[in-house]
Amino acid sequence: MRENLTVYLALLRAAVLARLEYRADFLMGILGVFILNAGTLATSWVLLSRFHDLNGWLFWEIVFLYNLWLLGHGIRAIFFRHINMLEQFIVEGTFDQLLTRPANPLVQFLGREVHYLGIGDVLLALSMLTLSYQNLHLEWSWWMFLWFGVIALSSALVEATLTLILACTSFFTTRSRAIVNAASLFSWGVVQQYPLDMFNNVLRGIVTILLPFAFMNYYPSLLFLGKIDQVPFGFLTWYAPLVALLLTLLAIRFWNFSINKYQSTGS
C-alpha cells in the first residue's frame, strides 16, 4: 500500500510539471470551463424565471444541487479524467507498457495524467456554492462544513469508480467509450441538473442502485438544504461515503478480474 502510494505521488508530480509547461493553454482552458458552466446555470435561471420552482426546489437550491455535482466532477476530472480514454490506451497498445514495469498497473494508469480543466470546475463550483449558501440563508454548524468536505471527496470517488468499472469493459470488447458516454449523458439528464424527486420510481431506482450517480449530489444535498423529511428516501443522505467506499472496492476487484482476461491488440 505504501509503495503504491509513493509510486502514485511520484507519477502525479511528473504529470503536474508536464502540464505547467503550457501555461497559456492552462489559463484558456479554465476560462472555457467557466463559460460552459455559466451557460448551464443561465438555462436553469431562464427555466425557473417562468415556473418559480421545480417540484418545490427554488433557483438557488437548484444552483446548489448542480454545483455540488460540479465540485465532485471537477475533483474527479483533475485526477482521473483519463479513465474515459482506457480504450484508446488499449487500442494503441500504450496500455501494454504498464504491464512491463515493476509497479501496479492500476496505480500507473491512475497517476499517468492530471487535467487542468477540472480546476475551473472546482473554482466555479465553490464560488456558486458560496453564493447559494448566502442566498438561501443557510447556517451550518462546524461538523456540517467537515461533512461537506467528506461529501466532495465521496462524490469524486463515485464518478471515478463508476467510470472505471464501465471503462474496464474495453478489456473484453476493446471499445468502451460508447457505454461510458451513454452513462454520463444519462446522469447529466437525470441527476446533475434537476432534483431526483421530480422523476418516476424507475429512474430514481436506476441512479440510486444500478448507476448510483444520485449519491454525487442529490442525496447529500438533502441534508445541506434541510430537505431530508420533505422527499422520499431522504435518509439516504448519510450513505454517500459508504457508497463511494463500496464502489471503490468493487472497481478494484473488477479491474483485477478484467486485467487477468486482457489480451493485447498487438498494436
Side-chain angles (χ1 to χ4, degrees):
M1 181 67 182
R2 183 176 179 180
E3 181 181 351
N4 286 335
L5 182 60
T6 302
V7 171
Y8 177 74
L9 292 177
L11 290 170
L12 203 61
R13 180 176 181 275
V16 170
L17 293 175
R19 282 292 179 186
L20 290 178
E21 289 184 1
Y22 305 97
R23 296 182 181 179
D25 183 51
F26 175 84
L27 295 175
M28 291 301 294
I30 291 177
L31 178 62
V33 168
F34 265 83
I35 295 173
L36 176 65
N37 285 295
T40 301
L41 290 173
T43 302
S44 298
W45 179 79
V46 170
L47 185 64
L48 288 171
S49 67
R50 291 175 59 88
F51 298 100
H52 181 64
D53 65 74
L54 281 177
N55 204 39
W57 289 64
L58 304 174
F59 172 71
W60 284 109
E61 291 174 334
I62 298 291
V63 171
F64 185 95
L65 182 74
Y66 175 76
N67 283 281
L68 185 57
W69 166 81
L70 185 62
L71 180 60
H73 174 76
I75 296 172
R76 196 280 291 187
I78 293 172
F79 298 103
F80 305 123
R81 186 171 180 269
H82 55 287
I83 290 176
N84 301 36
M85 299 183 289
L86 178 60
E87 72 161 42
Q88 184 178 337
F89 286 96
I90 291 175
V91 170
E92 296 177 353
T94 311
F95 186 80
D96 294 358
Q97 298 173 8
L98 307 184
L99 302 177
T100 62
R101 296 170 181 163
N104 187 307
L106 179 57
V107 174
Q108 293 183 69
F109 177 63
L110 294 180
R112 188 181 181 89
E113 296 184 19
V114 293
H115 300 267
Y116 56 83
L117 295 181
I119 297 174
D121 286 333
V122 170
L123 293 176
L124 180 62
L126 289 174
S127 301
M128 297 308 296
L129 285 166
T130 301
L131 284 175
S132 301
Y133 183 91
Q134 294 173 339
N135 281 279
L136 291 170
H137 306 293
L138 300 175
E139 294 183 359
W140 296 348
S141 55
W142 66 269
W143 68 266
M144 287 274 280
F145 286 99
L146 184 62
W147 183 251
F148 181 83
V150 173
I151 291 301
L153 296 177
S154 300
S155 177
L157 272 179
V158 167
E159 187 174 68
T161 50
L162 279 174
T163 306
L164 181 60
I165 291 170
L166 295 174
C168 279
T169 57
S170 58
F171 286 118
F172 305 95
T173 63
T174 307
R175 298 291 184 182
S176 63
R177 185 71 61 86
I179 189 172
V180 171
N181 289 343
S184 299
L185 288 173
F186 178 74
S187 170
W188 174 270
V190 177
V191 300
Q192 294 169 10
Q193 304 178 73
Y194 306 107
L196 188 58
D197 46 274
M198 65 181 291
F199 296 103
N200 61 36
N201 290 334
V202 174
L203 285 176
R204 291 182 200 171
I206 291 174
V207 296
T208 300
I209 300 172
L210 186 61
L211 293 170
F213 286 109
F215 288 93
M216 288 186 67
N217 62 340
Y218 174 73
Y219 288 119
S221 70
L222 299 179
L223 173 68
F224 297 122
L225 299 177
K227 288 179 170 290
I228 294 179
D229 299 326
Q230 301 176 20
V231 299
F233 305 104
F235 66 92
L236 291 175
T237 190
W238 301 105
Y239 284 65
L242 178 61
V243 170
L245 176 61
L246 293 176
L247 284 173
T248 300
L249 296 175
L250 179 62
I252 293 173
R253 289 185 65 87
F254 190 54
W255 168 277
N256 291 333
F257 171 78
S258 302
I259 205 170
N260 286 331
K261 305 294 182 183
Y262 170 63
Q263 292 183 334
S264 172
T265 59
S267 299

